[in-house]
Amino acid sequence: MSTSPLKESVIPKLPPPTPASLLDPPSPRTHRALRRLQSAHSLGQSNSQPSLISQQHKQAIQANQTTSDNSSIPQHSRGRSNSDATNMMPPNLGAAGRRPITSRRPVAADALSLDRLIRDGPPDGDLVGALESVRLKVLGQGIKSDTDGMSSLRIYVWLILLNGPVLNTDDYLSLIHRGASPAYSKIRNDTFRTLKKDPLFKRRVSEASIIRLLNAVAWKLHDAKEERAENLRQLTGGNISEASSPELSTPSRSRNRALTLTTEGSDAGGSEPSIYVQGMNVIAAPFLYAARSETEAFAAFYRLITNECPGYVRSAMDGVHKGLALVDKVLAIVDPKLSMYLIGKGMSAKIYAFASVTTLCACTPPLPQVLRVWDFLFAYGVHLNLLCIVAQLVILRNSILSSPSPTKILRQFPPITAETVIEVTLSIVKKIPDDVFAEIVTHAK
């Protein structure tokens, strides 16, 4: 095996464990401080320093100006949910391609708590350092939550790490008021099964909320498909026949086609984005559980599936199948004996890991632990979910090797323990050659 240049990198020294009193505060229902925030995008009060998102907005604007005086920083005077900005993340600041093992210089943001850093924004305007500090705090200290996994801060951290898009609440409501989407019947066939065995989820999230969110997402994806078809029609002058390009049919026929869309992609090519595929309901579930409004959950969920893992929601789910092949490849690198044993039993990743890849491990209880795993994934890249799956196999290694029928063990993965899975995942990262890691990073695109 070739040696990876990053193989000798050092895992950052993490601060000592936070006292249990900080990790398990009372239910966030007793905390009213962040309830004054009007949306996930207004993360600071008007009389405080601009928030981290506001700093991103300011830097994106200043990057397009040719002025030599950057000393004055305008205050963000309106809630982000009403902003007209589009992409506020400066280039090369995303988590994609990032290995969660690095050496770095201390920055001023390190001295602030995660709560204060999110609320007040980066000290000294150091956006890059503040984002890296947020990632390290998420990795080392975690996001404070109660025993049910509830946190008044988590959804804001997620939106920042995902660079969540600007969304006016009225825009979400307009999607809701359009009624049943073309994928409505398929959505209704799945929503009642969403985490049905999880009492915490059922107590907090109604099926109606899941239906509304997925239906709104389906409309937004449907509109994007119609826009692409219209753009293509204009580029070709409308000369492409309907037989060769069904997307360019008349509006009435296009509507009829949309009403018959299926997750199998029977009416579209394998690379054609679908407006709903099986598993999207489970991915949406943690967002609805963690968010303080459906609008926040919609913004984060839509950003995830369209930017981080669009290959998972295409008709042919090609990103999922690439991910399953990479789980087999990574397991063979990390633990050849375990890999050969499973292959000898006829158990490739597509047999036992399909649900875990498709849902980013959200199908494995308990939900509070899944939220902690997602904190890590959003901080350092959703692609690392593949390594989290391999980590669960490594944790179960002895049980699998001693079982004549490992199918019984892996039919439903045992309850996940976030800290252990993340720790093993970090150890696995160092063993992956750079070329394989590059495949992992891009598999879901």
Side-chain angles (χ1 to χ4, degrees):
M1 182 195 310
S2 59
T3 303
S4 168
L6 296 178
K7 200 172 183 180
E8 304 301 326
S9 300
V10 180
I11 298 177
K13 294 183 178 179
L14 305 178
T18 308
S21 60
L22 294 181
L23 290 177
D24 298 310
S27 171
R29 288 189 293 270
T30 65
H31 297 283
R32 303 297 180 184
L34 288 180
R35 291 188 182 277
R36 292 192 296 268
L37 304 179
Q38 296 182 354
S39 74
H41 311 298
S42 179
L43 303 180
Q45 299 180 15
S46 58
N47 61 350
S48 63
Q49 184 179 353
S51 67
L52 184 54
I53 286 291
S54 301
Q55 292 289 342
Q56 295 178 13
H57 189 182
K58 183 266 300 179
Q59 290 201 6
I61 294 175
Q62 290 182 343
N64 296 324
Q65 297 176 342
T66 56
T67 176
S68 58
D69 183 11
N70 294 324
S71 59
S72 62
I73 302 177
Q75 290 290 332
H76 190 61
S77 59
R78 59 179 179 173
R80 187 180 166 210
S81 60
N82 295 321
S83 172
D84 55 357
T86 53
N87 185 8
M88 298 176 294
M89 177 67 78
N92 300 324
L93 293 185
R98 178 187 303 274
R99 295 199 187 214
I101 43 178
T102 181
S103 57
R104 61 190 291 274
R105 61 179 179 80
V107 296
D110 294 343
L112 302 179
S113 67
L114 184 59
D115 190 308
R116 183 177 175 186
L117 185 57
I118 297 299
R119 184 182 67 247
D120 297 342
D124 305 323
D126 184 6
L127 176 61
V128 177
L131 285 172
E132 190 63 21
S133 182
V134 167
R135 292 186 176 106
L136 286 174
K137 290 178 187 297
V138 168
L139 177 63
Q141 303 172 9
I143 298 176
K144 291 185 291 185
S145 59
D146 65 11
T147 55
D148 290 347
M150 299 308 302
S151 168
S152 57
L153 186 65
R154 173 170 278 121
I155 188 61
Y156 303 120
V157 176
W158 284 5
L159 284 164
I160 289 172
L161 293 174
L162 291 171
N163 190 24
V166 175
L167 180 67
N168 190 312
T169 301
D170 290 339
D171 294 338
Y172 176 68
L173 292 176
S174 68
L175 293 171
I176 298 299
H177 294 157
R178 288 170 68 175
S181 71
Y184 181 75
S185 61
K186 294 196 69 64
I187 291 171
R188 289 301 305 270
N189 286 337
D190 284 346
T191 51
F192 73 94
R193 292 192 291 259
T194 306
L195 304 186
K196 64 179 181 179
K197 296 182 180 180
D198 193 313
L200 293 177
F201 179 77
K202 288 298 183 183
R203 187 172 64 200
R204 179 173 175 82
V205 181
S206 68
E207 184 184 357
S209 292
I210 309 172
I211 294 171
R212 283 194 297 267
L213 185 143
L214 293 175
N215 196 64
V217 168
W219 272 126
K220 196 165 180 66
L221 293 174
H222 175 267
D223 291 347
K225 291 181 67 174
E226 293 293 309
E227 183 179 357
R228 286 192 299 272
E230 178 62 26
N231 291 338
L232 183 58
R233 185 183 298 110
Q234 293 177 359
L235 288 174
T236 59
N239 293 326
I240 296 181
S241 66
E242 293 180 3
S244 62
S245 181
E247 283 287 0
L248 304 184
S249 56
T250 62
S252 60
R253 289 189 60 185
S254 178
R255 172 67 174 175
N256 290 336
R257 286 186 62 255
L259 289 172
T260 59
L261 284 174
T262 65
T263 59
E264 294 76 23
S266 59
D267 62 341
S271 61
E272 175 66 22
S274 181
I275 63 175
Y276 181 77
V277 296
Q278 192 173 21
M280 286 173 64
N281 59 313
V282 181
I283 302 177
F287 287 112
L288 286 167
Y289 186 82
R292 301 168 72 82
S293 72
E294 283 184 26
T295 305
E296 294 171 344
F298 173 88
F301 174 67
Y302 186 78
R303 177 66 176 180
L304 175 73
I305 64 173
T306 57
N307 189 71
E308 299 294 332
C309 54
Y312 286 8
V313 298
R314 283 195 281 267
S315 299
M317 304 179 72
D318 53 295
V320 173
H321 295 294
K322 290 178 183 178
L324 292 169
L326 284 168
V327 170
D328 285 330
K329 181 182 290 189
V330 171
L331 183 60
I333 294 172
V334 173
D335 194 330
K337 182 178 179 180
L338 180 58
S339 173
M340 291 299 296
Y341 184 77
L342 288 174
I343 295 298
K345 295 291 184 178
M347 294 188 63
S348 62
K350 66 182 180 181
I351 302 297
Y352 59 81
F354 186 88
S356 295
V357 172
T358 304
T359 66
L360 305 178
C361 289
C363 61
T364 305
L367 186 54
Q369 294 297 310
V370 171
L371 300 181
R372 291 181 180 270
V373 172
W374 276 29
D375 296 341
F376 169 67
L377 294 180
F378 294 162
Y380 288 98
V382 173
H383 55 273
L384 292 176
N385 178 57
L386 302 184
L387 303 189
C388 289
I389 296 172
V390 174
Q392 293 176 74
L393 296 174
V394 172
I395 294 169
L396 295 170
R397 184 179 192 274
N398 292 337
S399 298
I400 294 173
L401 291 177
S402 61
S403 173
S405 181
T407 307
K408 296 179 180 179
I409 299 175
L410 299 180
R411 181 181 294 113
Q412 171 66 55
F413 277 38
I416 194 170
T417 303
E419 285 73 14
T420 304
V421 169
I422 293 172
E423 181 181 357
V424 176
T425 298
L426 291 173
S427 67
I428 290 174
V429 169
K430 298 184 292 184
K431 302 177 182 179
I432 308 301
D434 283 350
D435 58 337
V436 177
F437 194 82
E439 292 183 58
I440 295 172
V441 170
T442 59
H443 81 279
K445 301 300 184 180

